[in-house]
């Protein structure tokens, strides 16, 4: 789920609980074949049948609401299986060609595991929730290894904790159901802070990029020394950094940050590129033709600034997917499409003609390397 969906779900849950209204959380815990959403997608169901967010394109919601209302009546969690294949005799017969497992449980804010998980979702903090799909118990694991909750079976508990820690360590962790050595399926849901997008430059073409990135759940940072350009009115919801290029040491992007150099000013771009390549960020993009990035690297080399092959391997230029983009809004779409593909390990390209499953586990595509500056 993206950040906007999570915010909507948590806001509705907070309102319901303040009114003493019961609520159930439905989570996709397994997908086989084709389906509209993936593991970790959540939907909130309130007493009376109101729902917040969706588990599919409208295929499953009515069925899941009925299950959730029964869970609220009984207080017992439920695991429901839905067959979406077109020729299903007893299934839904929707024609997606796959099947989906949904776990539904009543929300108990007084439970320490539930409270910790909801706090992590609301605060945008890293956490992993491990839930056996057979039996009882849940375990919440924080990024520092702290564990809340305990499973009755010691071996299953150890597996769940280790699986949660390994999931949190991934570059782009996703929810998944894993098989424990004894055969018990364990669903590991993951929450991580929103990815950061740092824009070096607050020009006109940065406006749609910042706005679209915010809509996709990025924490957007804009860096520019010009106060007339760097205003909350131009970049609502973004963190603004009025830094000159020589003051960029005050900005320390993390490993999950994505940096785009787009000042349209050679000197500022040169210093910003140096700062970006020295940072821990895994993705560095330069707007404009490939020759521009090569010129910037040559100028840096002439000034005595050298970068390792590992640093240069993170550099993408030209930035964005090849969509034929021209207008600033189109360029923003191209850049964010590449960012999504890169983060999730896909190479981009057309789905039409693709014979495999759309969501098959990919191999991370290697970033094109620019030649070292002479």
């Amino acid at each position: 789920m993206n950040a906007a969906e999570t915010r909507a779900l948590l806001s509705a849950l907070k309102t319901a609980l303040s009114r003493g209204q019961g609520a159930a959380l439905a989570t996709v815990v397994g997908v086989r074949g084709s389906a509209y959403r993936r593991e970790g997608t959540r939907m909130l169901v309130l007493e009376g049948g109101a729902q917040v967010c969706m588990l599919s394109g409208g295929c499953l919601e009515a069925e899941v609401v009925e299950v959730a209302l029964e869970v609220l009546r009984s207080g017992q969690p439920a695991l429901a299986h839905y067959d979406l294949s077109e020729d299903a005799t007893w299934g839904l017969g929707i024609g997606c060609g796959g099947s989906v497992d949904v776990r539904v449980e009543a929300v108990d804010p007084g439970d320490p595991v539930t409270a910790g998980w909801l706090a992590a979702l609301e605060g945008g903090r890293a956490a992993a929730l491990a839930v056996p799909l057979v039996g009882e118990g849940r375990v919440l694991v924080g990024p520092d290894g702290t564990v809340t909750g305990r499973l009755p079976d010691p071996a299953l508990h150890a597996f769940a904790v280790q699986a949660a820690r390994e999931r949190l360590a991934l570059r782009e962790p996703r929810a998944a159901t894993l098989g424990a050595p004894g055969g018990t399926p364990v669903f590991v849901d993951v929450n991580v802070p929103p990815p950061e997008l740092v824009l070096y430059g607050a020009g006109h073409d940065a406006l749609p990029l910042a706005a679209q990135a915010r809509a996709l759940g990025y924490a957007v940072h804009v860096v520019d020394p010009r106060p007339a350009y760097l205003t909350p009115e131009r970049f609502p919801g973004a963190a603004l950094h009025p830094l000159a290029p020589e003051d960029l040491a005050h900005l320390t992007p993390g490993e999950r940050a994505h940096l785009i150099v787009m000042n349209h000013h050679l000197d500022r771009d040169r210093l910003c590129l140096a700062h970006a390549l020295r940072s821990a960020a895994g993705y560095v993009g330069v707007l404009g033709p490939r020759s521009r990035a090569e010129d910037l690297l040559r100028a840096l080399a002439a000034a005595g600034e050298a970068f390792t092959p590992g640093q240069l391997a993170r550099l993408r230029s030209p930035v964005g997917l090849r969509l034929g983009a021209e207008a600033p809004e189109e360029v923003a779409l191209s850049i964010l499409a590449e960012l999504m593909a890169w983060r999730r390990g896909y190479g981009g390209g057309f789905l039409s003609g693709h014979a495999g499953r759309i969501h098959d586990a990919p191999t991370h595509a290697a970033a094109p390397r620019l030649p070292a500056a002479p």
Side-chain angles (χ1 to χ4, degrees):
M1 293 181 66
N2 63 35
E5 289 178 304
T6 300
R7 286 194 297 268
L9 188 150
L10 291 174
S11 175
L13 176 60
K14 186 178 295 185
T15 300
L17 294 177
S18 69
R19 295 172 177 171
Q21 187 178 15
L25 190 62
T27 306
V28 175
V29 298
V31 174
R32 286 164 296 280
S34 298
Y36 190 76
R37 302 293 296 269
R38 307 307 297 169
E39 291 87 348
T41 304
R42 309 178 196 99
M43 181 176 82
L44 187 70
V45 180
L46 307 177
E47 286 180 1
Q51 66 184 64
V52 181
C53 298
M54 300 179 71
L55 299 180
S56 70
C59 313
L60 305 178
E61 281 67 21
E63 298 276 344
V64 173
V65 166
E66 292 303 316
V67 174
L69 293 177
E70 177 57 33
V71 165
L72 288 174
R73 284 190 289 267
S74 68
Q76 298 299 312
L79 182 64
H81 175 78
Y82 299 98
D83 191 335
L84 309 181
S85 60
E86 189 169 17
D87 57 353
T89 303
W90 302 106
L92 298 178
I94 293 166
C96 294
S99 62
V100 175
D101 295 327
V102 179
R103 187 178 190 273
V104 186
E105 65 177 334
V107 178
D108 177 8
D111 173 66
V113 173
T114 300
W117 178 239
L118 293 177
L121 293 177
E122 185 170 17
R125 299 191 298 272
L129 178 68
V131 183
L133 299 183
V134 178
E136 299 178 348
R138 294 174 306 153
V139 171
L140 181 67
V141 178
D144 57 354
T146 57
V147 178
T148 305
R150 188 160 194 88
L151 303 184
D153 183 335
L156 187 60
H157 177 84
F159 172 84
V161 169
Q162 183 62 26
R165 287 172 175 163
E166 290 176 355
R167 214 77 192 163
L168 279 174
L170 297 176
R171 185 179 79 183
E172 186 70 13
R174 307 290 294 274
T177 293
L178 310 171
T184 300
V186 176
F187 173 66
V188 182
D189 204 351
V190 183
N191 187 68
V192 291
E196 292 182 323
L197 178 63
V198 179
L199 308 181
Y200 297 96
H204 178 66
D205 52 357
L207 300 177
L209 181 53
Q212 292 179 29
R214 280 274 299 164
L216 290 175
Y218 284 87
V220 178
H221 299 255
V222 186
V223 184
D224 200 293
R226 301 169 294 178
Y229 285 78
L230 200 68
T231 66
E233 292 75 22
R234 284 168 56 83
F235 297 98
L240 307 181
H241 303 271
L243 298 173
E246 56 270 20
D247 298 323
L248 287 175
H250 297 289
L251 188 68
T252 55
E255 292 182 359
R256 299 187 71 243
H258 312 80
L259 317 182
I260 308 293
V261 178
M262 51 187 310
N263 287 287
H264 300 287
H265 186 283
L266 282 174
D267 286 340
R268 286 202 298 268
D269 277 348
R270 174 175 53 82
L271 296 175
C272 288
L273 178 58
H275 175 261
L277 290 175
R278 287 194 299 263
S279 76
Y283 180 105
V284 177
V286 176
L287 188 69
R290 184 182 180 89
S291 59
R292 181 180 179 84
E294 293 172 340
D295 288 344
L296 294 174
L297 287 176
R298 276 192 285 268
L300 288 168
E305 187 84 56
F307 301 100
T308 68
Q311 289 174 316
L312 291 173
R314 299 172 298 150
L315 181 59
R316 302 185 74 88
S317 176
V319 66
L321 294 186
R322 192 176 185 184
L323 305 179
E326 296 181 2
E329 293 77 9
E330 296 173 344
V331 173
L333 174 64
S334 167
I335 293 172
L336 290 170
E338 181 185 85
L339 278 177
M340 178 179 290
W342 181 86
R343 285 173 52 205
R344 298 182 178 175
Y346 290 83
F350 294 113
L351 284 173
S352 179
H354 179 69
R357 296 195 314 163
I358 293 174
H359 294 101
D360 276 340
T363 301
H364 284 285
R369 300 189 181 192
L370 292 178

